[in-house]
Every structure is written in C-alpha cells, then in structure tokens.
Amino acid sequence: MADQLETLDLNSYAALGDSFTEGLNDPAPDGGFAGWADRLAGLLAAGRPEGEFRYANLAIRGRLLDQIIAEQLPQVRRLAPDLATLCAGGNDILRPGADPDEVAERFENAVVALRESAGRVLIFTGFDTRGVPLLKHLRGKIATYNMHMRAVADRNDCAVADLWSLRTLQDRRAWSEDRLHLSPEGHQRVALLAARSLGLATADDPAEPWPTEHPHSPAEVRQENIQWAREHLLPWVGRRLRGESSGDHVEAKRPDLLPL
C-alpha cells in the first residue's frame, strides 16, 4: 500500500454499494475480500493514532440501486460517518431495457439523502467497457450514465472518482479471471484514485503504466474467451434467468464503524 503524504480531516468512513465496493476477487488475510474501499480506509487511517479512524463497509454483491437505498442508506443515518462513498447503478444498467437517465435520477435521490447523514460524499463514474466481451455493447449507456454522475456531483457538492478516464483499468491485469471484478492490483489503483479524488496526495500514481507484457496470440485470446464464457459468463447468465443473485444470503462484511 502506498505511503500517505498527508491526512484529511476525516475520522470515520462508510462504504455503500455492490460487489465492486464489497471487494470481490481481492483476497483478504481473514479469508474474505478486501477491495478498494478497505484499501482506501487504510490510506485515510495511515499516520493516525491506532484506533482513531473507524470504518464500515455495507456493500453486498449483486445489489441493485433500489436495494442499496432500502438496505444501506438507513445504516448510514445510524452511523453518521464523516465520509460516505456510493458506487451503484451498474447492475441496473446491465439489465436489458434499463434507462440510464431514469437510473441516474434514482441515484441522485440517494445522494441527496446520503448528504443529510454524511459529512462528505464520494461517487464514481462507470468503467469504460470498450475491451470487454458483450459489455462493450453497453458502452454508450454507461457513457450516458457517467455524464449524469458528473452532473449529480456538481449539483450536490460531491467528489467524483472518474473510473472511465483511468486508462490503466483497461489493461486486462486490472481485472480478475471473471472480467467483471477487479484484480487486487486493480482494486489498489481504484483506492489511489479515490484518495486523490478526495484531495489526499499519495506516493503511488493510479495511472502508472503497467510493465510491458508479451502480447497474446489470436489463438490464445480465442482460447481465453472460450474458457471465460464457460466458467464465468454462462453461470452469470444462468443466475439471471433463474432470478438469482450472487448476494442472496450474503450480509455486509463490516456493518458497524469499527477501528482499523
């Protein structure tokens, strides 16, 4: 984790969202998941007396925007953190027929409510999916949603972390094998971006180029795509058809503000 160069006047942080914020595919020492939000909390806590900074992570994989509003917003009212992060709506946008304008309107309603309970709020744009099979066809909808996110941030005095413009996240090494969730290094780069979006200087740069990698042949790429479809895409589609969610029976990993 990068060295911290300064501190912010924040003593507590609550993260809301879905699998992205829960930290899927970034293994933690306790056998669960860490993720960018845990890593951001570490950056914010660095240099402080032990136990002074408190952190909660309310995010649960598979959650849609309305579920996040219903389940997680009331918890933020109870916790009243100095900082809250909200990344939501991505699972809604992935659904057929989803209207990014309508999703963004519901998102802004959530931000307005969140601003009443948290001292500062950080939101995120969506990723650029230009190189992702199938999801690249949703790029226009995601771009439209992102324009709304920037407007929501302006109207509600929120910080915004621009994932779309972070080109290092377009490298396949930023993503885990399922191509839907970040790798540990991808989560670290998002944590650094989030910290900088809040005004915290970091020694490491989230836009630092990746080391040069030997390019894969077309045959290797095809084989990887076939294996990905078999192991990850088909099960994901199957859950959608059955009306199941990966977050069924999953609870928030850190529901209370606890010292790091």
Side-chain angles (χ1 to χ4, degrees):
M1 184 171 289
D3 294 332
Q4 186 170 348
L5 303 181
E6 58 184 89
T7 59
L8 297 178
D9 186 22
L10 300 170
N11 294 314
S12 57
Y13 163 38
L16 298 82
D18 50 32
S19 60
F20 169 65
T21 303
E22 185 185 347
L24 258 63
N25 297 357
D26 182 16
D30 63 1
F33 293 111
W36 68 265
D38 287 25
R39 293 167 179 266
L40 173 61
L43 289 169
L44 295 173
R48 298 172 182 270
E50 184 176 353
E52 181 180 281
F53 188 84
R54 297 175 300 143
Y55 164 57
N57 191 314
L58 309 173
I60 297 178
R61 67 197 73 172
R63 289 301 192 258
L64 298 169
L65 176 57
D66 285 347
Q67 293 174 312
I68 293 170
I69 293 171
E71 300 169 3
Q72 298 174 29
L73 267 183
Q75 298 305 311
V76 176
R77 296 189 187 100
R78 174 178 62 87
L79 299 173
D82 294 334
L83 168 69
T85 58
L86 175 63
C87 186
N91 287 329
D92 298 71
I93 297 297
L94 291 178
R95 296 189 170 235
D99 180 355
D101 301 327
E102 186 274 332
V103 176
E105 183 176 350
R106 288 188 282 122
F107 182 93
E108 182 162 17
N109 292 336
V111 168
V112 170
L114 194 57
R115 291 284 284 119
E116 296 175 354
S117 303
R120 297 183 65 182
V121 175
L122 171 67
I123 65 174
F124 297 75
T125 67
F127 296 104
D128 186 346
T129 58
R130 72 173 73 182
V132 184
L134 297 182
L135 296 186
K136 63 184 179 182
H137 301 295
L138 298 175
R139 193 169 182 243
K141 290 174 66 174
I142 297 170
T144 299
Y145 192 62
N146 286 347
M147 294 299 293
H148 285 297
M149 293 299 98
R150 297 183 182 96
V152 167
D154 288 343
R155 286 193 293 265
N156 296 280
D157 192 25
C158 300
V160 58
D162 191 359
L163 299 174
W164 180 278
S165 298
L166 187 57
R167 294 185 178 181
T168 49
L169 294 181
Q170 295 172 16
D171 191 288
R172 67 182 188 86
R173 287 169 286 184
W175 298 88
S176 60
E177 290 184 355
D178 67 8
R179 304 185 186 180
L180 291 173
H181 301 101
L182 295 169
S183 66
E185 178 61 24
H187 277 287
Q188 176 65 5
R189 289 176 183 260
V190 170
L192 293 170
L193 175 67
R196 291 189 171 201
S197 300
L198 290 168
L200 180 66
T202 61
D204 292 339
D205 184 355
E208 178 71 23
W210 293 84
T212 301
E213 183 183 45
H214 178 72
H216 288 205
S217 69
E220 290 174 324
V221 172
R222 283 195 300 273
Q223 182 58 40
E224 288 179 354
N225 287 341
I226 292 171
Q227 183 176 353
W228 167 75
R230 182 188 306 118
E231 296 183 4
H232 301 287
L233 177 61
L234 292 178
W236 181 78
V237 172
R239 287 196 301 272
R240 286 288 186 275
L241 294 175
R242 294 190 299 271
E244 298 175 354
S245 169
S246 58
D248 290 344
H249 314 298
V250 176
E251 298 181 352
K253 66 180 183 180
R254 196 179 175 95
D256 293 302
L257 287 172
L258 299 174
L260 287 178

